Amino acid sequence: MAPTLLMIGSGPGIGLSTASLFASKKFSKVALISRNKERLVTDREAVLAAAKNTDVKTWVADVVDSEKYKNVLKEVEEWSGEGVDCVIFNAARVEPSTLLEFPEEEIVKDFMTTNIALYTTAQWALPLLSKMKEEQKPSFLVTSSLLWKQPVPFVFSLSLVKASQRNLVETMKMTFPDIHIALLNVGGVVSPEDTYLNPPAIAEKFWELYAQEKSAWTFDLEILGAQ
């Protein structure tokens, strides 16, 4: 059975490019989750264009609405049949934030998206992935950045929650050593015009991370802009 991908945080950048690439690499099913219903329609068409024989299904969900999001994850599980082989958590809230001026409730919103929603996803996904055989390449991959070690003052809130997210992902890795749990650290602003940090290039790095054999699993893979 060809594998199934779940992309959490589909969209015109990293999410769509990565889902399309995985579909072209013979993933038989691709599940897309996003808050934007209209965009999901075009995302699905783009993934199908990359691999016409792939079964692509979409779900509209706000990942911070935990109860509704949990119901969506159950639906994905039922639809997948054989189980989801690779989960990519690409959800994020990127807003300018100024230290001492950014409202506390906005920091909480960032934490809910980047950490609580990831935790909710892990509660569902990790027990399922742990039942898979090694040859099925069970994987839980997370889009990250370098903000966890190089905070940027004008996005201090995002820097804060990315450091926390890394801690959570590393804890997941230590707890479930037979699942490939890893971070793809995107070292800059993503742009279609950037030579290195364009969505298709980042998608290739996600595939490189997924394709690693267990003996060569890495926790981090970085993609950097021009130095």
Side-chain angles (χ1 to χ4, degrees):
M1 176 69 70
T4 297
L5 169 72
L6 170 58
M7 173 59 69
I8 302 161
S10 182
I14 296 173
L16 178 57
S17 289
T18 304
S20 297
L21 177 63
F22 275 57
S24 73
K25 298 286 190 178
K26 309 305 181 185
F27 269 65
S28 62
K29 292 184 176 182
V30 172
L32 305 175
I33 295 177
S34 173
R35 291 179 300 175
N36 192 315
K37 182 178 181 179
E38 291 73 23
R39 190 171 64 202
L40 277 172
V41 174
T42 57
D43 286 358
R44 180 176 183 275
E45 292 173 352
V47 176
L48 286 172
K52 291 181 173 57
N53 292 326
T54 299
D55 185 2
V56 183
K57 190 168 176 58
T58 63
W59 280 267
V60 180
D62 186 343
V63 296
V64 302
D65 187 339
S66 293
E67 290 310 310
K68 290 184 179 179
Y69 179 47
K70 288 176 183 178
N71 288 333
V72 165
L73 292 174
K74 289 179 183 176
E75 290 180 14
V76 172
E77 181 180 347
E78 292 171 358
W79 168 78
S80 67
E82 296 293 322
V84 174
D85 302 73
C86 179
V87 175
I88 298 182
F89 189 87
N90 185 53
R93 203 179 85 104
V94 183
E95 300 286 345
S97 56
T98 302
L99 186 66
L100 306 185
E101 297 178 8
F102 199 57
E104 293 174 359
E105 59 270 22
E106 294 299 312
I107 298 175
V108 173
K109 288 180 183 179
D110 286 339
F111 189 81
M112 289 292 294
T113 302
T114 306
N115 292 274
I116 298 301
L118 175 60
Y119 182 67
T120 301
T121 308
Q123 285 181 307
W124 166 78
L126 296 182
L128 295 175
L129 290 169
S130 65
K131 296 176 182 177
M132 290 187 170
K133 299 177 181 178
E134 182 177 328
E135 56 267 26
Q136 292 177 276
K137 300 182 74 67
S139 304
F140 194 116
L141 312 178
V142 179
T143 307
S144 189
S145 67
L146 299 179
L147 292 174
W148 64 273
K149 65 177 179 178
Q150 298 172 359
V152 175
F154 72 83
V155 285
F156 99 89
S157 181
L158 182 62
S159 303
L160 182 73
V161 299
K162 279 296 181 183
S164 178
Q165 184 187 66
R166 180 184 178 85
N167 185 289
L168 173 56
V169 177
E170 192 154 12
T171 303
M172 290 160 52
K173 175 181 177 291
M174 291 187 289
T175 308
F176 291 88
D178 291 326
I179 302 171
H180 190 188
I181 298 171
L183 296 163
L184 180 63
N185 298 319
V186 181
V189 178
V190 179
S191 169
E193 289 75 35
D194 193 284
T195 302
Y196 303 99
L197 299 179
N198 62 80
I202 295 170
E204 289 287 351
K205 284 293 183 179
F206 259 122
W207 180 259
E208 179 183 336
L209 191 59
Y210 169 77
Q212 291 175 343
E213 296 299 329
K214 186 174 182 179
S215 60
W217 280 356
T218 56
F219 178 63
D220 285 286
L221 191 61
E222 294 185 355
I223 178 166
L224 306 176
Q227 301 299 305

